[in-house]
Amino acid sequence: MTNPAKQPLPNENVIRFETLVNGVILHLRRDIRGFQLERLKTFNIEPFDTTSQLPMAKLQITLKSDKNIPGGSQIAVYAPRGFIFTCAYFRTQVLATTTTCYTKQNLARFTVDSQDSKPPNLMMGITVYATNPQFTPQPNFWGCDIISPLGSFVD
């Protein structure tokens, strides 16, 4: 199943479920009510320099969730293949200075201090550095997840 590119209208948000064996429908359920897509309210990445293979290219990430973010949550940022994040010199805006950073290739995880829960609709920022790839990757999609300390997705 693939999520739609935009939130469907309530009367369009239905799913058809069927099981097939050799092209014959065994089970069919129509008009299964869909659900609202979970999305960050705002997620922006502003590059400061896009020079090919620049090591320490500065990126400004801004995000806003319409949900409460509990202390101890992780903010995971996924870059396209070829980018390599580093935790060196990362900074936060609105998040506590005790926010920690972990990187592995094109993934950066920022763990919010356990005493630093955030209310809904609060704009937060992270300045992080990455090595740019030699060529613009295709597809060039970035992603972000907010994961609670218990491992469930917040947004």
Side-chain angles (χ1 to χ4, degrees):
M1 183 177 246
T2 303
N3 285 333
K6 62 181 181 139
Q7 186 71 43
L9 298 171
N11 62 336
E12 298 173 341
N13 197 4
V14 292
I15 299 170
R16 173 187 167 107
F17 179 79
E18 60 185 47
T19 56
L20 298 170
V21 173
N22 296 326
V24 177
I25 295 177
L26 296 180
H27 304 94
L28 173 64
R29 288 203 50 203
R30 294 185 180 140
D31 300 326
I32 299 170
R33 215 169 105 213
F35 47 88
Q36 296 283 39
L37 297 174
E38 292 294 324
R39 302 178 72 153
L40 285 168
K41 202 167 191 179
T42 303
F43 175 62
N44 292 318
I45 297 182
E46 180 185 343
F48 284 73
D49 190 338
T50 58
T51 302
S52 176
Q53 295 182 316
L54 179 70
M56 299 299 287
K58 184 177 178 181
L59 301 166
Q60 178 63 46
I61 300 167
T62 53
L63 59 123
K64 182 194 304 186
S65 174
D66 57 1
K67 297 173 189 66
N68 182 52
I69 300 173
S73 295
Q74 288 188 354
I75 299 169
V77 178
Y78 307 91
R81 189 180 39 186
F83 285 90
I84 301 171
F85 283 114
T86 180
C87 287
Y89 308 112
F90 89 96
R91 296 287 178 264
T92 60
Q93 295 83 42
V94 179
L95 296 167
T97 57
T98 50
T99 299
T100 60
C101 174
Y102 164 81
T103 61
K104 183 175 182 182
Q105 298 293 321
N106 61 332
L107 165 67
R109 285 190 188 270
F110 304 94
T111 304
V112 178
D113 187 287
S114 61
Q115 301 299 311
D116 191 33
S117 64
K118 296 298 178 195
N121 298 312
L122 183 67
M123 187 67 79
M124 299 170 282
I126 301 170
T127 303
V128 67
Y129 293 85
T131 299
N132 289 335
Q134 183 175 4
F135 304 106
T136 301
Q138 296 299 322
N140 191 9
F141 295 121
W142 293 72
C144 182
D145 294 327
I146 300 175
I147 305 160
S148 79
L150 300 176
S152 61
F153 284 86
V154 174
D155 229 345

